[in-house]
Amino acid sequence: MGWVRVTTPLLFESKLLCISLLYLLTTVSLSLYISFSKRGCFFFSSPLIPHPLFSYPSSYGEHKHALPASHSTCSSPVFFSDYRVAFEEIHNLCRNRSLSSMNYSSPVLSYLQGKGETFAGNFSAQKRRSFFSHGDDQVRVPCGFLRDFFAKESDRVAMEQCDGVVVVSAIFGDHDKIRQPKGLGFRTLETVCFFMFIDDSTLKGLNSHNILAGADSDMIGVWRIIRLFAGGLPYDNPAMNAVIPKYLVHRLFPNAKFSIWLDAKLQLTVDPLLLLHALLISKDADMAVSKHPFNVHTMEEAMATARWRKWWDIESLRNQMETYCENGLQPWTTSKLPYTTDVPDTAMIARRHGMASNLFSCLMFNELEAFNPRDQLAFAYVRDMMSPQIRINMFDVEVFEQVVMEYRHNLKRDGAVPATAARPIRTAEPVSIKGSKCENYLLKMWGEAIDDNDGD
């Protein structure tokens, strides 16, 4: 009878090596657990598209100048649903809303038509305020497009055919790079359209890297490129032109049911369906936007805008705040709960297209044209004063930092600066707070307000 000799593999003959391997496996597992449990914002991703979305030339540098996140942990984590669950629910919502719109059972806004002095009509503060309360009387709401907005017919058709979810961004003045989203699920492009609006100078910058060099080329990876040429843009200010797709997305894409706006400095790192499901649908919200990382009161944001020269006309900033104070804007207090701030970071906005969010977007756009494209300043005024009320999920900034990657704007060659940055600052004459239209606002913000009945 023969014997079978069993030998120990050489790998396990060394006790020191075995102990080292055991230590390595234990520490790696422990570090992964601690890392994910501390961050709280780590989300399991969807089944990914297996191929790269677009290959950029090395000269383009689409991943240069990424900004580090300021938060490494999440105090209020948001967890994503299973990809298939999110996909099916959003797909069904889009289909059901398409059927309901065919039956005309859902209330819709009627928009003011015709020609105006400007793209939004140049209405007075009192006239704009008159549209804040919207009942069932079918009053036509001004919502842009009172001047021509030129786009190719093929682009208009493509925008109308996007009838599910649309992700929108814009680059004017060649200030940013076009970056492909990460983490897309394998069925996401069946439901989600990606559109990027660009102007002449951005197109020139792309052509210099041999991108979009073909006359008929209109795709860069998942992004459908909409070229808006100089004669078709209603504003001289590139930032104001970008506000059109940012706030009038429901008019540019009339059949879309959901949308996500991304500032061009951002790269989406999570599937948009998971994002909509977690931040919008599961919260039963009309809109989702991040809180501002620092400011709570609108006036704080206005002061920061003036101090850091984020808008050149300081006098107009004061006029804007006085207009809002006169018409009812109040500083944030606990009476505004569940909102814990009046100031958003609107670099990413998720929307469920419907009466409330569409009205909010129209009212916001009218304020932005009236004053400036700094939309944080008009946000609380519109949110608090409009009727019907809009339901906004204002999520924590650390969540925002985990679902997008932020990059610096393009550095201008030869010391060139944007035209708006070169514009001289229009300063404001100092005035006393006493007797100002914002006197009560400021006293409340500083905790010094006096009840009107105290002196009686």
Side-chain angles (χ1 to χ4, degrees), residues 149-328:
F149 184 76
F150 295 101
K152 293 190 303 183
E153 182 61 27
S154 58
D155 290 335
R156 291 182 181 273
V157 171
M159 288 188 281
E160 290 180 1
Q161 289 176 343
C162 182
D163 58 359
V165 177
V166 61
V167 179
V168 184
S169 190
I171 303 176
F172 295 120
D174 196 28
H175 288 163
D176 296 280
K177 307 288 187 187
I178 297 178
R179 300 178 176 92
Q180 301 302 313
K182 293 182 178 180
L184 294 188
F186 70 104
R187 296 189 65 186
T188 294
L189 295 181
E190 297 176 19
T191 303
V192 182
C193 318
F194 290 80
F195 281 81
M196 175 72 71
F197 293 81
I198 66 171
D199 63 356
D200 287 338
S201 60
T202 305
L203 178 62
K204 183 178 178 181
L206 290 167
N207 289 165
S208 69
H209 297 281
N210 203 31
I211 302 174
L212 284 185
D216 298 326
S217 181
D218 59 8
M219 296 295 297
I220 299 179
V222 299
W223 294 102
R224 168 72 181 251
I225 306 301
I226 306 296
R227 309 180 196 184
L228 301 175
F229 300 105
L233 294 171
Y235 302 107
D236 294 332
N237 185 349
M240 193 62 215
N241 285 321
V243 165
I244 297 173
K246 184 174 185 177
Y247 279 98
L248 302 185
V249 58
H250 61 290
R251 299 213 60 192
L252 291 168
F253 301 87
N255 297 313
K257 311 306 185 298
F258 298 91
S259 66
I260 296 175
W261 163 264
L262 286 177
D263 278 6
K265 64 182 179 180
L266 302 181
Q267 179 183 30
L268 194 61
T269 58
V270 172
D271 188 286
L273 298 179
L274 295 179
L275 201 62
L276 287 171
H277 197 270
L279 300 179
L280 201 68
I281 295 172
S282 67
K283 303 295 184 182
D284 193 27
D286 300 306
M287 193 173 91
V289 65
S290 170
K291 302 173 187 176
H292 193 278
F294 307 113
N295 299 326
V296 172
H297 302 289
T298 301
M299 193 65 72
E300 290 178 326
E301 179 64 22
M303 293 175 179
T305 300
R307 178 180 181 183
W308 300 111
R309 300 294 193 261
K310 294 181 179 181
W311 182 246
W312 63 276
D313 192 342
I314 310 303
E315 179 64 28
S316 75
L317 291 175
R318 185 171 68 189
N319 292 337
Q320 181 179 13
M321 289 300 98
E322 290 186 345
T323 298
Y324 292 168
C325 291
E326 184 179 19
N327 284 279

Side-chain angles (χ1 to χ4, degrees), residues 107-110 134-141 355:
V108 295
L109 286 179
S110 296
H134 190 82
D136 297 327
D137 51 4
Q138 292 299 305
V139 171
R140 293 183 178 273
V141 177
M355 171 68 82

Side-chain angles (χ1 to χ4, degrees), residues 29-42 72-73:
S29 301
L30 184 61
S31 63
L32 287 173
Y33 171 78
I34 292 174
S35 174
F36 294 161
S37 61
K38 278 187 175 181
R39 285 176 68 187
C41 285
F42 179 82
S72 60
T73 62

Side-chain angles (χ1 to χ4, degrees), residues 361-375:
S361 297
C362 293
L363 299 176
M364 279 289 295
F365 185 82
N366 296 337
E367 295 303 313
L368 299 181
E369 192 200 65
F371 292 107
N372 57 72
R374 304 296 304 176
D375 51 356

